[in-house]
Structures are given as structure tokens and as C-alpha cells.
Amino acid sequence: MPYVERGMSVGLFGGSFNPPHRGHELVAEIALRRLGLDQLWWMVTPGNPLKNRTDLASLEERVELSRQLAPGPKVKVTAFEAAHNLHYTAKTLDFVKARNPGIHFVWIMGADNLKHFHLWQDWRGIAETFPIAVIDRPGSTLAYLSSKMAKTYAHARIDEEDAAVLPFLPAPAWTFIHGPRSSLSSSAIRSERAGI
């Protein structure tokens, strides 16, 4: 895991990044700025248990491409989940929390993940471990209104104008952050490369 000092606010941005693209970079930039983070951990996962792994590039390749794309020194690209055999977000967050006392973490995810978030292993545990910042993605702006997560934790939602305090709030707490959006997607890039 990247080095941190007590009191820092750190965003956790996980994904398979297969491949990473400008949309991911934009999410990282928005999260850093709007949440006032000291660091953002760009966590390249071994693979998403809910996705097909047949076209998954090697972890080394995805890490290297992510490092090339990462926007600035506050972004720390890491693949510690593979080294510790962590395959589910809930387990990763428990692991991070246990080893980093005194750090203010926020889970960062694109709004496109809200629709299926309730299918993630122990999704309620995720929501109750760290605050969550949901960053707008094309076609997903209204997802926060209809998703099971948004409805279940409607009482814990804060206004996006108060996003800078999110890292310091106890979970459950979350916000939806609007901003510039990129229409790029990893699956579309893979399809284009395959000539589909």
C-alpha cells in the first residue's frame, strides 16, 4: 500500500482498468479536487468477480498503463490486492482500514456502478466501512435516484456542495458529484481493438 501519514484524506479508486482511459483519469481528477484529497489510490484489481475475465489483460500491463495515465503525484497506482489475495471490495476495505488507523478514506466509484452495486459481495458492509463519493458518468446521472444503494442510504446522502467534508464523516455517508464526463468505456475500447 502507498505510504500515508495520520490525518490524511485518501480516495480509494478501484477497478480492473482493462484498459485504463481518459474517463478514469477524469474521475480521479474530479475526486481529488472536489473532495480535497491528499492522495488517491488508483487500485488495479486482479479482476472483477462480476465480469468475464477472458479478455482481461495482465495485471502488469494494466498497472503500467494506469501509471502512464495517472494525473499527477497525488495519484498512487497500486496493485496490493493481488499480493494479499483480495478479490472483493468489502475485504479490501476491511484490510485497508485495519492497517491504516487515523487515515480518512473515501471509496470512489463511477455512477455507472450504482445500478449493480447491490450485487457486490457485502455491499452494505462497503457502504458502512468508508464514506462513498459517486462520480457522474454518461448515461448514469439518474442512477443515484433509482439504485438500491441510493434508496437504502438516502438518509446518509450529503449535498455535493459539502463534498470536501465527506472524508471526515463516519460511514454510512455518500454524495453524488456532477462534473465533466467522458463517454469512453473500457469495454468499448476492447471491442474496437478486437474489430467488433
Side-chain angles (χ1 to χ4, degrees), residues 7-8 16 21 48 51 64 99 101 122 125 128 172 178 181 196:
M8 281 185 166
S16 52
H21 54 71
N48 185 332
K51 292 182 179 177
E64 181 53 35
R99 284 156 179 78
D122 194 17
E128 294 173 13
H178 295 84
R181 296 174 292 172
I196 297 172

Side-chain angles (χ1 to χ4, degrees), residues 21-149:
H21 54 71
R22 174 68 181 129
H24 297 131
E25 181 184 14
L26 190 58
V27 168
E29 289 172 347
I30 291 169
L32 280 166
R33 185 176 68 252
R34 297 290 299 277
L35 298 169
L37 300 173
D38 295 306
Q39 286 184 14
L40 181 138
W41 294 2
W42 182 303
M43 304 185 318
V44 184
T45 66
N48 185 332
L50 296 177
K51 292 182 179 177
N52 185 338
R53 294 183 183 207
T54 57
D55 58 357
L56 187 65
S58 74
L59 183 63
E60 294 75 19
E61 179 181 347
R62 292 179 288 125
V63 166
E64 181 53 35
L65 291 172
S66 294
R67 286 193 173 124
Q68 292 172 19
L69 194 63
K74 288 186 175 183
V75 177
K76 312 296 182 185
V77 176
T78 178
F80 70 85
E81 289 171 293
H84 295 281
N85 202 27
L86 298 166
H87 296 282
Y88 295 96
T89 300
K91 298 289 186 193
T92 297
L93 299 190
D94 287 342
F95 181 86
V96 167
K97 186 174 187 176
R99 284 156 179 78
N100 295 280
I103 305 300
H104 305 285
F105 287 105
V106 178
W107 177 251
I108 296 163
M109 59 191 249
D112 50 328
N113 286 306
L114 268 185
K115 182 178 180 182
H116 301 291
F117 185 68
H118 65 283
L119 300 177
W120 293 21
Q121 185 184 69
D122 194 17
W123 68 276
R124 290 175 190 265
I126 295 169
E128 294 173 13
T129 300
F130 294 135
I132 298 174
V134 181
I135 311 295
D136 200 2
R137 292 277 289 140
S140 302
T141 303
L142 300 178
Y144 72 95
L145 296 175
S146 59
S147 73
K148 187 169 182 176
M149 181 276 199

Side-chain angles (χ1 to χ4, degrees), residues 148-179:
K148 187 169 182 176
M149 181 276 199
K151 290 177 179 177
T152 301
Y153 292 100
H155 66 282
R157 182 176 172 222
I158 67 166
D159 191 278
E160 72 176 292
E161 297 303 317
D162 299 320
V165 304
L166 187 66
F168 307 98
L169 296 177
W174 69 284
T175 194
F176 190 99
I177 298 176
H178 295 84

